[in-house]
Amino acid sequence: MFKRRKRSQQDFSEELKAHLALEADQLRKEGLGERDAGDAAHRKFGNIVSAEETFYEASRWIWLEQLRQDIRYSFRQLRQSKGFTSVAVLTLALGIGANTSVFSLVHAVMLQNLPVVNPAQLFRLGDGGNCCVIGGYQGRFSIYSYPLYLYLRDHTPEFESMAAFQAGLPHFSVRRAGVQGLPDPFVGDFVSGNYFSMFGIRAVAGRTIQPDDDRVNAPNVAVMSYRAWQQHYALDPSVIGSTFVISGSNFTIVGVTPPGFFGDTLRSDPPDFWLPLAAEPVVRGQNSLLHRSDDYWLYIIGRLKVGANPSKVEAEVNLELKQWLVAQAGSDPSEKDRQSVAKQHITLAPAGGGVAHLQEGYADGLRLLMTASGLVLLIACANIANLLLARRTAGRIQGSIRLALGAPRHRLIRQTLVESLLLALLGGAAGIFVAFAGTRAILMLAFRDASYVPIQASPSLPVMGFAFLLSLVTGIVFGAVPAWISARFDPAEALRGANRSTGNRSTLPQKSLVVLQAALSLVLLVYAGLLTKSLRNLEHQQYGFDTTGRVMVRVQPAFAGYSPERLQGVYRQLEQRLPQISGVRSASFALYSPMNDMNWSSGIVIEGRPPRDAGGHGYSSSWDRVSPGYFETIGTRLLRGRAIDDRDTPNSRFVAVVNQTFVKKYFPNEEPLGKRFGLQQPGDYEIVGVVEDAKYIDARGAAWPTFFIPFLQMTPSDWTKSGLARSNYIEDIQLRVAASAKDLEQSIRRTIAEIDPNLTVLKVRSFSDQLSGNFNRERLLARLTALFGFLALAVASVGLYGITAYSVVRRTSEIGVRIALGASRSDVAGMVVRSALLQTALGLAIGIPAAIAGARVLANQLYGIQPTDPLMLGLATLLLAACALVAGLIPGLRAASIDPIRALRTE
């Protein structure tokens, strides 16, 4: 296009020259001489240069060529100012990179759909996160039993298909049939036969699970994830059709899912294997949940037919739910059951992004991080604007001359904006590399205990688009004020006093930006201080157990089909052999251990009490099964009575140990020892001891009422109930080890494998790491906010230093006069420092109220600290003031060293 424009302009010039030549020839024929004919032709034709300019400006593409000129000019200016360009690009790279890395996580967690066909058609029945097995009425239903799923599927024709899958992912022990060695732990999922077809997922090798696989007595089949196939079996094609032993039963691998498919939910450590729901009894034996109407353990997602109205479908499934619940209550439901059924509700929620586990957990934190990173970028923009203002003010002579020579002001404005946009785009390009590293760091902080997270650290196309748009907006934001200053140059005034100080008015925009930086920096520093102190309070509170010198072993038992006698033999061996491992001082095991993201709770019946209290509420409590030595091993103090010990066998009297909260809630003014309660019958368990409160699931709240009972103490009828029977399967082993113990993991794994090969070790970690894993989200917020806060402080300090140093340079002559007239050097230094501190003080005056108001938004993120904590506010203020003092003192000392003679000579 530019070549065509050049040819067109050349053609026009050549045509003008041809007309002149013809006119000159005609005049020569009329008798004029050679020179006179040429001059006369020029006079008759007019100003050729003006005609060429008129032709040039008449082109509709002139703005594009002028833009090209402005871009070339801006590149030349940036290349000549390498120091300025480097500082500006680095500052923008940090700001844009921080925002892009946070947006990468926001996009993956909050905005991205599942990699499935037509995700907009997918709707989930329920919008809650109930997990993993519950019973009774839910109020807002979001988790279902298998019989209820079948009823809803068969009675809601508005869905093309409706699939069910397990709410909590089970762990499987897996080994290839015929291969010697211990099984490996894998994450699995039980799904309905139409699960993959409902999502529109086709196998990359073999086939997926089909409806015929999900029926009684169908051959056992499984589908493997591409990641497991690649990492554990090196993409071996012979895996397809091979037999694998999964949790003790043989399954044929019929296919492998596509590489991008991670299941129905974005979560860390997604499934490695998918099994049909019909295979759940094969894996769990008598503990199967499949045909139990009163055990809810499945999520449901359906694909609506095209044109179906979600509101009408929601009303229909709610009617079906109530009909089913009434039928379950019997032919003559009580009035209370009728009232409870009337309160049950299903919300039909869009499920294009799957089940929103991560969204619910990280939504508030991600919004906070986006706000914090946005403030950092705003501070960076203010800093770059200051640098550009300094450049524009220093180049006011050149700009004034251009205006005096007729340059239009809009060209100066456009050149300034073009330079700003180029800087921003360069900073954005560099910010992509910062974002790549930043996203990886964020993922490591957010999912520290995970072995795999299905979120790509490399920027995707939407993330790249976000970075590009952010760069454009950033360039306009920090280029707007310098462009406005460029448009206000007065040629006459600038040329009259080009080198004179123009007073404080010329630096007012720059000082205002410094004030803004100081205010925003204070807000971020206060946020960082509050979140860091909150995290420290969470981690170092009194938990009721001791993490020092403790190791936790997470196991997956494949005990389906084990008799109580066989289980007792396994547990007896664990009690005998675990303490024999070198370096182990004591050992115990439990259904679950503290702060391991598990909790069992149930209604209880207290002997001598009516089933409900005066308010009409039943009694309930959390509970755990533990082995002898459990409380000693985890460091929970026994307060009264005795702990569970070797006397408590399946054939001895049934006993329980309760915590302080249990006593305060149910026996506030009574002696608890000797009292009896039960899960089904009032006299099942006798309280023999009281231990101190310990937090097991909720680090922010008080300890829950909890009782502890021995393994295998169950009535014969209880063994027929899948939930109660399954409570005798251990999932955690606790070891108290010597400080000098080394390389325990191999010894632990070997010993447990020798005791029972169906007891697969999933994870070995310290108790402190297990506790710390509960605060990954809080740690992510605290550390990133602290990083953003100190980054903002550094940028603001550099900006304050820059404007102060620039002010000293501009006022060199004035300072020289002051010194020549008798001002002491300390007075000069004090004058400069006071100016810097004044700007900071103005920033504090704005920032302190803003920080107090904004901190209230953090209230639900804090623990053990008030949003208006004066200590954090004071520390942030002192830190900002100290940095301002240093930023002002360096230019102040430089001003104090000015030689008045040299300063006056420069005037």
Side-chain angles (χ1 to χ4, degrees):
M1 181 176 61
F2 290 117
K3 290 183 177 179
R4 289 200 305 269
R5 272 194 45 77
K6 188 173 182 180
R7 285 197 302 270
S8 177
Q9 190 172 344
Q10 288 175 349
D11 292 343
F12 182 72
S13 298
E14 290 173 359
E15 185 177 352
L16 286 179
K17 292 177 182 178
H19 280 291
L20 284 173
L22 289 174
E23 184 66 26
D25 288 341
Q26 182 64 34
L27 291 173
R28 280 193 295 271
K29 290 178 181 179
E30 293 176 2
L32 293 179
E34 183 72 23
R35 183 174 180 179
D36 292 339
D39 292 342
H42 274 283
R43 286 193 300 271
K44 184 176 181 180
F45 202 84
N47 192 329
I48 294 179
V49 175
S50 176
E52 290 178 340
E53 289 179 351
T54 301
F55 175 82
Y56 175 77
E57 292 174 356
S59 171
R60 61 177 179 172
W61 296 106
I62 185 172
W63 66 270
L64 195 57
E65 186 164 343
Q66 290 176 345
L67 178 61
R68 180 175 66 90
Q69 294 171 354
D70 292 338
I71 293 174
R72 291 181 61 186
Y73 177 79
S74 298
F75 267 122
R76 187 164 60 250
Q77 291 293 99
L78 295 177
R79 190 169 58 248
Q80 290 174 354
S81 306
K82 294 183 176 61
F84 161 80
T85 304
S86 301
V87 171
V89 169
L90 177 61
T91 303
L92 288 171
L94 293 173
I96 295 175
N99 279 268
T100 304
S101 59
V102 174
F103 178 78
S104 298
L105 196 59
V106 170
H107 177 260
V109 173
M110 305 294 293
L111 304 177
Q112 197 166 13
N113 286 320
L114 293 174
V116 298
V117 174
N118 296 329
Q121 287 184 264
L122 299 179
F123 284 83
R124 182 185 166 205
L125 274 65
D127 58 354
N130 287 333
C131 181
C132 296
V133 182
I134 64 173
Y137 298 117
Q138 301 175 45
R140 292 174 57 192
F141 258 73
S142 59
I143 189 170
Y144 305 85
S145 65
Y146 183 67
L148 177 52
Y149 155 67
L150 294 179
Y151 184 86
L152 294 172
R153 184 196 67 183
D154 297 339
H155 289 79
T156 317
E158 288 80 4
F159 283 99
E160 288 183 4
S161 57
M162 184 187 291
F165 45 93
Q166 186 166 353
L169 297 184
H171 283 84
F172 298 145
S173 59
V174 180
R175 64 179 177 84
R176 196 166 183 175
V179 176
Q180 298 299 318
L182 296 175
D184 295 316
F186 284 93
V187 179
D189 198 4
F190 289 107
V191 300
S192 59
N194 61 348
Y195 176 84
F196 290 101
S197 61
M198 188 271 296
F199 281 125
I201 298 297
R202 296 183 178 180
V204 72
R207 67 174 178 87
T208 60
I209 294 172
Q210 304 296 325
D212 286 344
D213 300 318
D214 189 23
R215 54 183 174 80
V216 179
N217 298 324
N220 294 337
V221 300
V223 169
M224 183 185 294
S225 73
Y226 185 89
R227 190 178 72 89
W229 188 38
Q230 180 184 52
Q231 294 187 359
H232 295 276
Y233 303 101
L235 303 180
D236 181 4
S238 67
V239 165
I240 314 301
S242 296
T243 299
F244 278 64
V245 180
I246 300 178
S247 295
S249 300
N250 290 336
F251 284 79
T252 301
I253 304 301
V254 296
V256 177
T257 58
F261 183 70
F262 51 79
D264 46 74
T265 305
L266 177 65
R267 66 179 110 200
S268 58
D269 297 325
D272 299 301
F273 289 87
W274 287 269
L275 277 62
L277 285 172
E280 189 260 354
V282 176
V283 176
R284 289 181 172 150
Q286 64 179 5
N287 297 316
S288 171
L289 299 168
L290 187 65
H291 299 294
R292 294 186 60 85
S293 299
D294 55 348
D295 281 334
Y296 301 113
W297 59 291
L298 298 172
Y299 287 147
I300 298 176
I301 288 181
R303 182 178 294 277
L304 278 182
K305 292 181 178 179
V306 176
N309 187 323
S311 299
K312 292 182 179 180
V313 177
E314 180 177 307
E316 183 174 340
V317 295
N318 274 285
L319 178 61
E320 294 165 6
L321 172 67
K322 292 177 173 60
Q323 291 172 344
W324 189 85
L325 290 174
V326 168
Q328 295 300 306
S331 58
D332 187 21
S334 66
E335 182 61 28
K336 183 178 183 300
D337 281 332
R338 292 182 182 276
Q339 292 175 358
S340 297
V341 168
K343 297 177 182 178
Q344 308 308 303
H345 180 75
I346 295 176
T347 299
L348 203 65
V355 180
H357 279 324
L358 284 183
Q359 291 90 325
E360 294 170 357
Y362 282 86
D364 290 341
L366 289 175
R367 293 189 190 98
L368 174 62
L369 289 180
M370 284 296 290
T371 301
S373 60
L375 292 179
V376 171
L377 183 59
L378 192 57
I379 293 171
C381 288
N383 213 24
I384 305 303
N386 262 339
L387 292 173
L388 286 174
L389 279 171
R391 281 167 56 87
R392 285 294 168 267
T393 307
R396 68 186 185 279
I397 303 174
Q398 182 187 39
S400 300
I401 293 174
R402 294 174 68 185
L403 287 174
L405 292 176
R409 292 184 185 273
H410 70 83
R411 285 297 302 273
L412 295 183
I413 296 173
R414 188 166 64 191
Q415 282 186 353
T416 303
L417 288 176
V418 166
E419 183 176 351
S420 304
L421 289 172
L422 283 178
L423 270 178
L425 291 174
L426 291 173
I432 293 294
F433 295 97
V434 175
F436 177 75
T439 303
R440 293 176 64 89
I442 289 175
L443 290 176
M444 290 176 64
L445 280 173
F447 307 100
R448 194 172 66 162
D449 297 327
S451 58
Y452 169 68
V453 180
I455 297 176
Q456 297 297 322
S458 55
S460 61
L461 187 61
V463 173
M464 295 282 284
F466 171 82
F468 177 73
L469 290 176
L470 189 63
S471 300
L472 291 180
V473 173
T474 299
I476 294 173
V477 167
F478 70 71
V481 176
W484 179 74
I485 294 295
S486 298
R488 294 177 61 85
F489 284 149
D490 185 346
E493 180 180 347
L495 293 175
R496 281 197 303 269
N499 292 326
R500 295 184 184 274
S501 174
T502 57
N504 291 330
R505 290 179 60 187
S506 62
T507 59
L508 182 60
Q510 294 167 282
K511 291 182 177 180
S512 300
L513 291 173
V514 169
V515 170
L516 174 65
Q517 287 177 293
L520 296 178
S521 298
L522 181 71
V523 172
L524 281 178
L525 288 173
V526 171
Y527 283 5
L530 290 172
L531 291 171
T532 302
K533 183 65 180 298
S534 175
L535 174 63
R536 182 176 178 83
N537 291 342
L538 277 171
E539 292 180 324
H540 295 90
Q541 63 178 301
Q542 180 57 251
Y543 278 97
F545 50 77
D546 186 3
T547 61
T548 306
R550 267 80 176 179
V551 173
M552 295 290 164
V553 184
R554 190 77 184 269
V555 295
Q556 174 61 40
F559 288 162
Y562 277 40
S563 65
E565 292 75 21
R566 187 177 179 184
L567 280 177
Q568 186 177 6
V570 172
Y571 294 162
R572 188 180 299 114
Q573 288 190 63
L574 286 173
E575 292 175 7
Q576 293 171 354
R577 296 194 57 183
L578 288 174
Q580 296 175 3
I581 298 174
S582 177
V584 175
R585 291 180 173 176
S586 65
S588 63
F589 48 89
L591 174 59
Y592 60 93
S593 58
M595 304 306 294
N596 202 15
D597 198 26
M598 284 188 66
N599 179 66
W600 282 55
S601 62
S602 176
I604 61 173
V605 182
I606 300 175
E607 189 176 59
R609 305 266 184 96
R612 299 182 181 276
D613 60 18
H617 303 290
Y619 307 108
S620 64
S621 174
S622 294
W623 60 283
D624 197 2
R625 288 194 185 272
V626 300
S627 72
Y630 172 77
F631 299 111
E632 174 193 357
T633 302
I634 69 168
T636 297
R637 292 180 299 119
L638 179 68
L639 303 179
R640 303 172 70 177
R642 70 172 179 88
I644 292 169
D645 56 30
D646 294 332
R647 291 173 288 179
D648 303 314
T649 67
N651 300 318
S652 66
R653 62 172 178 153
F654 289 5
V655 299
V657 173
V658 299
N659 68 352
Q660 292 170 285
T661 300
F662 188 97
V663 173
K664 292 175 183 177
K665 184 172 183 179
Y666 297 125
F667 306 101
N669 299 309
E670 303 178 60
E671 171 57 55
L673 299 183
K675 298 293 184 181
R676 302 184 69 85
F677 70 94
L679 296 174
Q680 306 293 334
Q681 300 297 326
D684 284 350
Y685 298 99
E686 178 184 340
I687 299 175
V688 296
V690 179
V691 294
E692 68 175 318
D693 283 338
K695 295 188 177 184
Y696 272 66
I697 189 69
D698 183 10
R700 293 178 177 269
W704 296 359
T706 308
F707 64 88
F708 305 87
I709 55 180
F711 279 95
L712 306 177
Q713 284 197 346
M714 292 178 62
T715 63
S717 63
D718 286 342
W719 282 103
T720 64
K721 301 178 177 67
S722 63
L724 289 176
R726 195 171 63 255
S727 71
N728 286 287
Y729 293 174
I730 69 172
E731 295 203 21
D732 280 315
I733 294 174
Q734 304 82 36
L735 303 174
R736 186 164 64 94
V737 302
S740 58
K742 303 291 184 183
D743 302 324
L744 281 174
E745 183 169 347
Q746 291 304 317
S747 299
I748 294 169
R749 290 180 179 274
R750 183 172 59 252
T751 301
I752 292 175
E754 291 171 353
I755 293 172
D756 194 311
N758 287 325
L759 200 57
T760 304
V761 175
L762 301 179
K763 186 179 296 185
V764 179
R765 57 180 174 175
S766 69
F767 199 0
S768 58
D769 284 344
Q770 178 170 304
L771 176 62
S772 180
N774 288 271
F775 311 124
N776 287 340
R777 184 178 65 89
E778 288 81 359
R779 189 174 297 105
L780 172 71
L781 294 180
R783 292 185 178 176
L784 285 185
T785 308
L787 174 64
F788 292 157
F790 284 109
L791 180 60
L793 179 64
V795 173
S797 299
V798 169
L800 179 60
Y801 165 79
I803 185 60
T804 306
Y806 175 68
S807 177
V808 168
V809 172
R810 286 175 56 87
R811 300 174 64 185
T812 298
S813 300
E814 175 193 340
I815 293 172
V817 171
R818 288 176 180 270
I819 295 175
L821 293 177
S824 67
R825 298 189 181 275
S826 61
D827 291 338
V828 172
M831 176 186 68
V832 176
V833 171
R834 281 194 301 273
S835 176
L837 291 179
L838 177 61
Q839 296 171 69
T840 306
L842 291 174
L844 291 174
I846 299 172
I848 289 175
I852 293 174
R856 297 184 186 278
V857 181
L858 296 179
N860 63 338
Q861 305 283 342
L862 303 179
Y863 177 79
I865 186 172
Q866 294 298 318
T868 56
D869 184 71
L871 178 60
M872 290 298 104
L873 192 61
L875 288 176
T877 301
L878 287 176
L879 182 59
L880 183 59
C883 291
L885 179 62
V886 173
L889 188 59
I890 297 173
L893 294 176
R894 187 178 302 160
S897 64
I898 290 176
D899 184 350
I901 302 300
R902 279 189 174 181
L904 293 175
R905 284 176 178 169
T906 61
E907 179 62 26

